[in-house]
Amino acid sequence: MNRKSRRILILSSIVLGTVMVFALGWSWSTRNPEGLTLRALGEAAGHSYVYGYPLVLMDETRRAAGLAPNTLHHARSLPGAGFTAVVRPNTDTLYSTAWLDLGAGPQVLDIPPMEGRYWLFQGLDAWTNVFADSGSRTLGDTGARIVIAGPDWQGEAPDGVTLYRAPTAMAWLLGRIEIDGAGDLDAVHALQDRISLRALEPGAAGISVSPEPPGAFPPPETVRGLDAEAFFERLARLMAANPPDAEDDAVLDQLSAIGVAAGQTVDWADFGPLALEAITRGVGTARERLDAGPPRPPGWTLPADHIGRYGTDYTYRAGVALYGLGANLPEDSLYPSTLTDEGGALLMGGRAYRLRFEADGVPPVNAFWSITLYDAAGYLIANPAGRYAVSSRDDLVREGDGSLVLDIHSGPPAPGREANWLPAPQEGEFNLLARLYWPREEGLSGDWQMPPVEPLD
């Protein structure tokens, strides 16, 4: 072999070695149990994040509440500016809440006669589906005894008792009792004091778990701050006691692809650094899309008719959890909302608007309705009047033709129109949420619609 041939052979060997080293390095960096491409791995992580988000947010909301399990807690005052325990709180009802550990056995909820007030004690499973809809619409006004059982309980409820079965061990009991302003507090407190929650089976009565310390931030912010590894580890732990639905097999395959399975420790050592980066990017993209929300047409929009019963619509379920955790079934409360005026411009502080209902066009309800104003994040905005909503129970002033006009501006209200005034901020975006409690059929069917928000300046 001559010198030139030897030189070519040496150069070829160096090139081949470099290629082999690069290939081995790439293979090591991108390794993952299912051998997915980085793009497929990122997509699986993003879909898995959206799927698991409601479960992790529910758990963080439970933790942030700082309440012992199976203990009923009543809000004794109305929420105001600075209240961040849940997004878009209402000022129409006093909340009652309990975080249930149904692995300890069924719980019995006793409701007294509600004296003509609208009431609702909904049960949400750990994935935010509504499994219990006890309230004015379903159980009437004469009082009720309710048993809430977990997925493993095989017993039967006593005669005359309404039984609800939760598909998960963790459940959220979220109650609402109608209140007509601060002057009505004592009357609602008296009703709250007659509500009880206790174990059905005496052997479970002794359970005592210390509440966890509340977090420093609202639950959505805490969950948003979890890195991908921490999020999926928490999800895997929670899924052990809160099993996925039978319809979830397809998304469970994606969870498996990133090493997540119910009750099992995720072994991140099985993933190369580029594979882990793909998972992180996939989660980041999913978060950005959730934060952005779906495209919204101008004007009022209604929740989908399957809100509270999400099935496999995981994206919608996650979006509702982020922007309205604890949403009811439409039959109990209907929530039209808007970010814009009739021309499609964002609602902005410092401007004046009006909302005009025809004489026969006020929200159709069996109970009552309200319209609440929130900031862009879904929280109440401080204002000198301490007024956050307008309700059908207010002494609203009608126009000469019988129509009803609501005034939306920073104030002060025009003389004699205090009841019709909904305070808006001096600056910044805001949005409106209407609540139709126990809506009539024309509201549910779409035959009735909210009127547009008209800018006046």
Side-chain angles (χ1 to χ4, degrees):
M1 180 181 295
N2 59 34
R3 184 178 298 176
K4 182 177 180 182
S5 298
R6 283 198 302 270
R7 208 163 31 239
I8 292 173
L9 179 60
I10 291 170
L11 289 173
S12 298
S13 298
I14 292 172
V15 171
L16 179 60
T18 302
V19 170
M20 290 180 65
V21 169
F22 178 80
L24 289 171
W26 177 261
S27 177
W28 176 83
S29 295
T30 61
R31 74 188 189 282
N32 60 87
E34 299 294 326
L36 299 181
T37 65
L38 294 182
R39 179 175 180 177
L41 197 60
E43 290 176 350
H47 293 157
S48 297
Y49 181 86
V50 170
Y51 170 75
Y53 179 82
L55 178 57
V56 176
L57 181 62
M58 279 283 279
D59 185 58
E60 180 56 34
T61 303
R62 174 199 61 79
R63 191 187 72 82
L67 303 176
N70 303 331
T71 302
L72 193 61
H73 174 79
H74 301 296
R76 305 294 270 188
S77 59
L78 289 165
F83 178 86
T84 59
V86 296
V87 292
R88 292 173 177 78
N90 77 63
T91 59
D92 307 317
T93 66
L94 280 191
Y95 288 102
S96 298
T97 189
W99 287 95
L100 305 181
D101 175 10
L102 298 173
Q107 295 288 308
V108 179
L109 177 69
D110 281 311
I111 301 292
M114 282 294 174
E115 303 172 357
R117 294 177 186 268
Y118 174 87
W119 68 279
L120 177 67
F121 270 73
Q122 70 178 129
L124 294 102
D125 70 18
W127 298 89
T128 71
N129 290 290
V130 176
F131 69 86
D133 57 356
S134 53
S136 299
R137 176 179 62 84
T138 57
L139 299 180
D141 189 47
T142 59
R145 175 162 291 176
I146 299 158
V147 168
I148 304 171
D152 298 327
W153 189 65
Q154 302 301 317
E156 297 294 332
D159 291 341
V161 173
T162 301
L163 172 64
Y164 292 101
R165 293 186 182 272
T168 56
M170 177 173 69
W172 189 16
L173 183 64
L174 186 57
R176 300 169 176 86
I177 302 175
E178 178 185 350
I179 184 168
D180 191 9
D184 200 22
L185 283 169
D186 288 345
V188 178
H189 290 170
L191 290 173
Q192 289 177 329
D193 292 341
R194 295 173 61 195
I195 300 171
S196 68
L197 181 69
R198 58 181 173 81
L200 173 65
E201 299 163 345
I207 184 170
S208 178
V209 179
S210 298
E212 299 176 49
F217 301 100
E221 292 186 25
T222 301
V223 175
R224 189 180 291 111
L226 297 174
D227 63 29
E229 295 179 14
F231 177 88
F232 286 122
E233 287 166 3
R234 189 165 178 178
L235 176 60
R237 174 177 58 81
L238 290 168
M239 285 170 60
N242 305 287
D245 192 85
E247 298 180 335
D248 296 344
D249 286 348
V251 74
L252 293 181
D253 288 341
Q254 294 185 314
L255 277 165
S256 178
I258 59 172
V260 179
Q264 297 183 19
T265 301
V266 184
D267 190 355
W268 298 111
D270 290 341
F271 296 83
L274 290 180
L276 290 174
E277 178 63 21
I279 290 173
T280 297
R281 287 179 178 273
V283 168
T285 299
R287 280 180 170 149
E288 290 173 1
R289 289 175 178 172
L290 275 181
D291 288 344
R296 290 181 56 132
W300 294 90
T301 59
L302 277 172
D305 58 8
H306 60 288
I307 190 170
R309 306 182 186 96
Y310 302 101
T312 58
D313 192 348
Y314 309 127
T315 300
Y316 186 59
R317 183 177 70 179
V320 172
L322 175 58
Y323 290 104
L325 187 67
N328 302 319
L329 299 176
E331 305 94 287
D332 290 311
S333 299
L334 197 62
Y335 296 146
S337 63
T338 185
L339 307 173
T340 66
D341 63 23
E342 63 179 349
L346 290 173
L347 299 175
M348 296 295 297
R351 301 193 64 188
Y353 304 89
R354 77 172 185 177
L355 195 61
R356 182 180 182 276
F357 297 93
E358 298 292 344
D360 58 353
V362 295
V365 292
N366 291 302
F368 65 100
W369 59 265
S370 70
I371 300 173
T372 309
L373 188 148
Y374 299 99
D375 67 17
Y379 300 113
L380 300 172
I381 302 174
N383 64 81
R387 182 175 172 83
Y388 308 105
V390 171
S391 169
S392 58
R393 299 162 306 165
D394 295 332
D395 294 327
L396 300 173
V397 177
R398 294 268 186 161
E399 305 300 304
D401 61 359
S403 63
L404 175 64
V405 175
L406 303 183
D407 309 322
I408 306 169
H409 56 81
S410 60
R417 296 191 61 80
E418 292 82 1
N420 294 51
W421 173 51
L422 182 56
Q426 293 281 0
E427 59 183 5
E429 298 175 19
F430 67 88
N431 56 79
L432 301 174
L433 178 67
R435 289 180 171 89
L436 282 63
Y437 293 96
W438 192 359
R440 296 202 297 263
E441 179 57 31
E442 57 265 39
L444 293 169
S445 67
D447 290 341
W448 171 89
Q449 295 183 354
M450 288 286 290
V453 180
E454 304 173 46
L456 299 180
D457 50 357

